[in-house]
Amino acid sequence: EGRLRGIVTNHDLLILQGTAPISVVREIEGQTDLDGLVQAAAKVTAIVGLLIKDGAKAGNVTRIITEINDRIVRRVIEFALRQLGPAPLPWCWLVFGSEGRREQTFGTDQDNALLWADPATTEEEEAARDWFPQFARLMKEGLTACGFAPCPANYMADNPRWNQPLSAWREMFSKWITAPSPEALLHSAILFDFRGLAGNLSLAAELRSCLNRSPPNQNFFFARLAETVTLHRPPLGFFG
């Protein structure tokens, strides 16, 4: 009758097509097995192009994709726990790299680690050394099926070096800072931007607190880190 009834937006069309971020999130959350999750995860790549076409800023795109990927990882964790049963000790799933910084786009690989509480008895340690590697293996397989390629440098929880109790992580971090060898600087550049994603997040906070403390030779570590940066030519400059 010549009066405005409503406005159809791009967002409305995306929801109808099932390709809006909220639609994909709902689909991910609704999956009950890994096969269904794999199909839902396959839609994430298409979202990037749609968001950019819709005028979304790069920072918003990376945050949206990271949030969706976080939900995929948590669902894989749920399926792994369903298969293995409860862990013998409190644990926290750590992510780092682009996922740790919430800067993910598409085509990302796995950058993760496992942090668990220090065992109080020999029995607890034996149970942990048996359970957590199995958990990490299931996670690697599940994430690979969902499109997250294994890390070429093996910075993943199924690597025993990155599947350790809290005391071992603290010791590693402390050594990297107090004795910043080239290898230590490489590890710190990759792992110090970690973020707790699932499990007991207080363990991640406790590990973060050891980085926030100022060791006596912290300035030496920063100097070595800065020196390492100057050895690499920036990929872009004034002339391209």
Side-chain angles (χ1 to χ4, degrees):
E1 300 176 356
R3 290 179 294 180
L4 181 66
R5 292 292 185 179
I7 298 173
V8 179
T9 67
N10 288 351
H11 185 66
D12 296 322
L13 299 177
L14 292 176
I15 290 178
L16 286 173
Q17 296 169 349
T19 51
I22 187 65
S23 299
V24 175
V25 166
R26 287 172 179 166
E27 188 171 350
I28 289 169
E29 297 290 351
Q31 299 308 314
T32 58
D33 56 38
L34 185 60
D35 290 339
L37 184 61
V38 169
Q39 296 179 24
K43 297 183 178 182
V44 176
T45 301
I47 291 177
V48 177
L50 292 170
L51 289 171
I52 293 174
K53 188 176 181 180
D54 205 35
K57 295 181 180 180
N60 291 335
V61 172
T62 57
R63 281 191 290 272
I64 290 171
I65 298 303
T66 299
E67 176 62 27
I68 294 175
N69 286 345
D70 283 357
R71 290 171 184 262
I72 293 173
V73 174
R74 291 191 185 105
R75 291 300 285 166
V76 176
I77 288 174
E78 290 178 18
F79 298 153
L81 291 176
R82 183 191 304 170
Q83 183 172 339
L84 282 179
L89 291 168
W91 56 273
C92 183
W93 185 261
L94 303 179
V95 293
F96 40 89
S98 60
E99 190 172 8
R101 298 187 300 272
R102 293 186 170 89
E103 296 175 351
Q104 287 203 298
T105 54
F106 49 83
T108 185
D109 62 356
Q110 298 181 40
D111 294 306
N112 50 57
L114 254 176
L115 161 67
W116 29 284
D118 291 310
T121 65
T122 303
E123 289 75 16
E124 282 187 351
E125 182 171 4
E126 290 176 352
R129 296 292 180 187
D130 176 63
W131 193 92
F132 287 111
Q134 294 185 63
F135 180 51
R137 177 180 54 80
L138 289 176
M139 288 300 300
K140 179 181 178 180
E141 294 172 354
L143 291 174
T144 300
C146 289
F148 298 88
C151 174
N154 205 20
Y155 282 95
M156 295 181 295
D158 76 323
N159 182 342
R161 189 170 189 180
W162 315 127
N163 190 335
Q164 299 276 3
L166 177 60
S167 59
W169 279 103
R170 280 176 167 170
E171 184 179 356
M172 280 194 296
F173 280 15
S174 178
K175 285 182 177 179
W176 294 348
I177 294 174
T178 56
S181 65
E183 182 185 31
L185 291 170
L186 173 63
H187 293 329
S188 64
I190 294 172
L191 289 162
F192 278 5
D193 59 1
F194 72 88
R195 173 169 62 94
L197 178 59
N200 191 329
L201 300 184
S202 65
L203 287 170
E206 199 168 343
L207 181 60
R208 175 65 63 188
S209 68
C210 84
L211 282 179
N212 293 336
R213 302 188 192 101
S214 299
N217 63 340
Q218 180 178 249
N219 291 337
F220 177 62
F221 169 76
F222 286 136
R224 290 297 308 276
L225 196 61
E227 179 184 348
T228 302
V229 171
T230 62
L231 299 177
H232 299 276
R233 181 180 178 184
L236 296 174
F238 289 112
F239 303 104

